[in-house]
Amino acid sequence: MHLTAVVAHPDDADIFCGGTLAKHADRGDDVTIVYMTRGEYGGFDTTEAEVAATREDEAMAAAETLGAEATFLDFQDGRVTYSLENRLTLVETLRELRPDVVLTHYSDDMHPDHRTTSRLVTDAYYMCSLPLLETDAEPWEPQNVYYFGKPTSSFEPETYIDVTEFHSTKEEAILEHESQVEWLEEHGGIDAEFDGLIEGIRAESRVLGRTRGVEYAEGFVPLHQSADDYLA
């Protein structure tokens, strides 16, 4: 099985679905993280290029911790837009990677990059199997798309993955994003929810786990209903 997570920023995969990615990698599945941007707006007194370079290095280390491969699509942080050109970029990406299952952001999210990434991935999923849509890679049809998100009034998980044995790996991967952990904890304002980042994520995973009688869980909303073998 090949699992691909398409995320807007370098830390998103680890925060939202790091335990699930590590669990699939541990059982021998191919796992890839596709980063739309390098998160160059997520920094303090330095240039966008310097922030991007740091965050790319951190993302590569985090992906290795999870047992995943990593690739970047070179979109601009905070400026991911919806267009046919960008949708076709995602079509080509999915065709090249040929994942069985795709993970991405839930459509209802405060961050515009998250919302746009969700829409691009969903529409690319529908288009990437079309034989008359020509790209360098051959058509491919993933089995399903699973969405992750923050606890909101509209995001209500339907699929739960027990990540109890892999939550420490998830936390290690998050801490690889040293510059971003500092940014999220000191930025304040709209990111104030990330005060005590690891503790907050651990608490959220416990709440989800409690609904399924396990210590830690991650939750997803599937595009199509199907039987679950992890996220197969």
Side-chain angles (χ1 to χ4, degrees), residues 3-49:
L3 185 74
T4 292
V6 183
V7 297
H9 310 104
D11 57 333
D12 289 335
D14 313 283
I15 289 174
F16 290 110
C17 59
T20 298
L21 298 181
K23 184 171 185 175
H24 275 271
D26 182 72
R27 79 168 186 182
D29 293 335
D30 293 323
V31 177
T32 303
I33 303 172
V34 176
Y35 301 102
M36 297 285 283
T37 79
R38 288 171 171 78
E40 59 269 20
Y41 273 172
F44 293 102
D45 298 326
T46 185
T47 67
E48 287 185 31

Side-chain angles (χ1 to χ4, degrees), residues 93-171:
T93 299
L94 294 180
R95 286 180 169 184
E96 288 177 351
L97 293 173
R98 304 174 74 81
D100 298 294
V101 173
V102 180
L103 309 182
T104 196
H105 299 274
Y106 189 64
S107 58
D108 178 18
D109 192 290
M110 181 170 61
H111 200 302
D113 286 350
H114 293 188
R115 295 195 303 270
T116 306
T117 296
S118 180
R119 185 181 175 194
L120 286 169
V121 171
T122 301
D123 291 355
Y125 160 78
Y126 277 111
M127 294 185 67
C128 70
S129 66
L130 301 177
L132 296 182
L133 174 58
E134 296 184 2
T135 65
D136 291 339
E138 293 297 316
W140 177 253
E141 184 174 6
Q143 297 171 10
N144 211 344
V145 179
Y146 287 81
Y147 303 96
F148 50 75
K150 300 176 183 178
T152 66
S153 58
S154 61
F155 179 72
E156 297 182 0
E158 300 171 21
T159 297
Y160 295 82
I161 305 300
D162 178 4
V163 297
T164 302
E165 295 182 19
F166 301 94
H167 208 274
S168 61
T169 304
K170 171 188 175 93
E171 293 180 16

Side-chain angles (χ1 to χ4, degrees), residues 137-229:
E138 293 297 316
W140 177 253
E141 184 174 6
Q143 297 171 10
N144 211 344
V145 179
Y146 287 81
Y147 303 96
F148 50 75
K150 300 176 183 178
T152 66
S153 58
S154 61
F155 179 72
E156 297 182 0
E158 300 171 21
T159 297
Y160 295 82
I161 305 300
D162 178 4
V163 297
T164 302
E165 295 182 19
F166 301 94
H167 208 274
S168 61
T169 304
K170 171 188 175 93
E171 293 180 16
E172 290 172 17
I174 292 170
L175 291 174
E176 291 287 358
H177 300 277
E178 184 176 353
S179 67
Q180 188 63 184
V181 171
E182 180 185 6
W183 165 257
L184 290 172
E185 293 190 341
E186 295 187 21
H187 184 207
I190 61 171
D191 287 325
E193 66 187 273
F194 289 106
D195 290 346
L197 178 62
I198 295 296
E199 291 81 1
I201 290 170
R202 194 180 294 154
E204 182 179 334
S205 296
R206 280 201 189 100
V207 170
L208 292 174
R210 195 171 296 127
T211 68
R212 291 300 181 270
V214 300
E215 186 173 4
Y216 295 114
E218 292 176 340
F220 302 86
V221 175
L223 180 61
H224 305 298
Q225 297 297 329
S226 64
D228 296 317
D229 174 17

Side-chain angles (χ1 to χ4, degrees), residues 12-91:
D12 289 335
D14 313 283
I15 289 174
F16 290 110
C17 59
T20 298
L21 298 181
K23 184 171 185 175
H24 275 271
D26 182 72
R27 79 168 186 182
D29 293 335
D30 293 323
V31 177
T32 303
I33 303 172
V34 176
Y35 301 102
M36 297 285 283
T37 79
R38 288 171 171 78
E40 59 269 20
Y41 273 172
F44 293 102
D45 298 326
T46 185
T47 67
E48 287 185 31
E50 290 171 331
V51 173
T54 297
R55 298 202 64 188
E56 179 175 346
D57 288 344
E58 292 172 346
M60 298 298 287
E64 183 176 359
T65 297
L66 296 177
E69 299 294 323
T71 187
F72 290 83
L73 294 187
D74 298 324
F75 287 86
Q76 293 181 300
D77 187 15
R79 292 151 285 183
V80 179
T81 58
Y82 189 88
S83 67
L84 177 59
E85 178 183 5
N86 290 347
R87 189 200 310 165
L88 291 176
T89 296
L90 269 297
V91 169

